[in-house]
Amino acid sequence: VLPPAEAVDCTVLLARVERTLFELTEVREHEWNPLYHNPGSLLHHLIERPFAPVAERLEPLAGRLGAIPDALATARDVLADCPRVHLETAIDQFTGVAGLVRGEVDRLLGEAPALRGTVAPAQEAAIAALGEFTGWLRSRVEAAGPDLGDARDPRLGRRVWEARLWHTLDTDLTAAQIRDAAATNLSRVLEEIRETAAAITGGRAGDDAVREALARAAADRPTNETIVGLARVALTEATAFVDQFELMSLVDDPCEIREMPEFARGVAIAYCDPPGLPETADVPTYYC
């Protein structure tokens, strides 16, 4: 019998294995979603995280760059019936990967020029393969026309979606039960929203007050130029608030707020990228 902490780890690991098997055998996203084959994060971690000297990071980076042509050739062989939204997003992301390989690898080689002979050939081959793959994605969009004909619907369908929900939440609650609980919670929260909107606008608590409050908030929204700076301010304020009221223990691990790299854009407005659990180097968490 495992000790409690190890039993929890084992349960979590088994759930992850079961979800991975489900994704590979049922969802099979690698066969219809080109975003699945984006190598950007595998390169970005070695480039950006200073867990070791540049020379030590360039050696495995060269290996990953060298694997890109074969990996993307395999992607072209297995991908079929791709949804338009995934093709268009992948075009932008893979263009961003090429920019990462071109610019950031050159920057690292400037710090370790002795490795240029090893890294540069893999770098150039990767850039060429990324360009070829991006062109292939564009040809898929252009060949199908503006509506992509009978291209695959990006939605999974109820059966697969509910199964993914079960694996994601690791709960016995059904989708209908979760929906009903969400609807009940929404009704409660909506009343609080109407009351808050009335306090902001000075009107009666109702949907009109909510619309006016949202319009005011939208008029004061951040721009591409200000969003990163505002996020840094928000982190400082949130940290001070949690510390002031002792809501939870705070750790002093470094966190850097950065502009999201191009290869990761098009899916979410922001994401948190912490170092791996076994990491021993003093490297930061990135909030992009």
Side-chain angles (χ1 to χ4, degrees):
V1 178
L2 293 173
E6 293 183 10
V8 170
D9 288 344
C10 182
T11 300
V12 171
L13 179 60
L14 287 174
R16 292 292 297 272
V17 170
E18 289 175 357
R19 176 176 178 177
T20 300
L21 288 173
F22 162 76
E23 293 285 343
L24 291 174
T25 59
E26 295 290 329
V27 183
R28 305 185 69 85
E29 201 166 350
H30 57 284
E31 295 180 348
W32 50 268
N33 185 358
L35 300 176
Y36 187 94
H37 300 275
N38 184 343
S41 61
L42 299 175
L43 307 174
H44 190 254
H45 290 160
L46 289 175
I47 292 171
E48 291 296 328
R49 290 199 186 280
F51 61 87
V54 168
E56 290 184 26
R57 288 186 278 137
L58 276 171
E59 291 183 6
L61 182 61
R64 294 185 184 186
L65 290 170
I68 286 178
D70 183 61
L72 295 184
T74 299
R76 288 197 301 273
D77 288 340
V78 300
L79 284 169
D81 196 22
C82 303
R84 183 184 192 91
V85 64
H86 293 154
L87 288 169
E88 292 177 339
T89 305
I91 288 170
D92 290 338
Q93 287 196 357
F94 278 85
T95 300
V97 177
L100 177 77
V101 174
R102 185 178 294 106
E104 293 303 305
V105 175
D106 278 347
R107 177 179 63 80
L108 293 183
L109 287 174
E111 299 180 37
L115 290 174
R116 184 172 294 278
T118 301
V119 178
Q123 177 194 23
E124 293 303 318
I127 291 172
L130 288 162
E132 183 179 353
F133 189 75
T134 303
W136 180 80
L137 293 171
R138 287 196 177 96
S139 70
R140 296 293 300 272
V141 174
E142 293 168 358
D147 298 324
L148 266 185
D150 297 324
R152 179 192 182 102
D153 190 321
R155 293 171 293 190
L156 297 176
R158 178 166 295 278
R159 183 189 69 82
V160 176
W161 181 83
E162 290 193 358
R164 174 179 269 184
L165 179 68
W166 184 89
H167 281 285
T168 300
L169 300 180
D170 193 17
T171 176
D172 290 331
L173 291 174
T174 66
Q177 289 172 319
I178 294 172
R179 181 197 59 209
D180 291 343
T184 300
N185 192 48
L186 178 62
S187 297
R188 176 184 61 80
V189 172
L190 279 176
E191 288 305 315
E192 296 179 7
I193 290 174
R194 293 185 182 104
E195 293 171 3
T196 302
I200 292 173
T201 63
R204 298 177 58 185
D207 291 344
D208 289 340
V210 174
R211 294 187 184 95
E212 183 179 345
L214 289 174
R216 292 185 187 184
D220 192 30
R221 65 187 181 275
T223 65
N224 285 344
E225 289 69 35
T226 63
I227 183 65
V228 175
L230 287 174
R232 292 184 178 128
V233 172
L235 175 62
T236 300
E237 292 176 346
T239 302
F241 182 86
V242 171
D243 185 48
Q244 177 185 353
F245 294 99
E246 299 180 346
L247 299 180
M248 64 181 68
S249 300
L250 291 170
V251 296
D252 58 1
D253 292 350
C255 178
E256 294 183 11
I257 295 180
R258 297 181 162 202
E259 182 178 330
M260 187 182 294
E262 289 187 23
F263 74 82
R265 297 178 188 176
V267 177
I269 257 196
Y271 65 83
C272 183
D273 183 18
L277 291 176
E279 181 60 70
T280 57
D282 185 19
V283 292
T285 287
Y286 295 137
Y287 177 61
C288 298

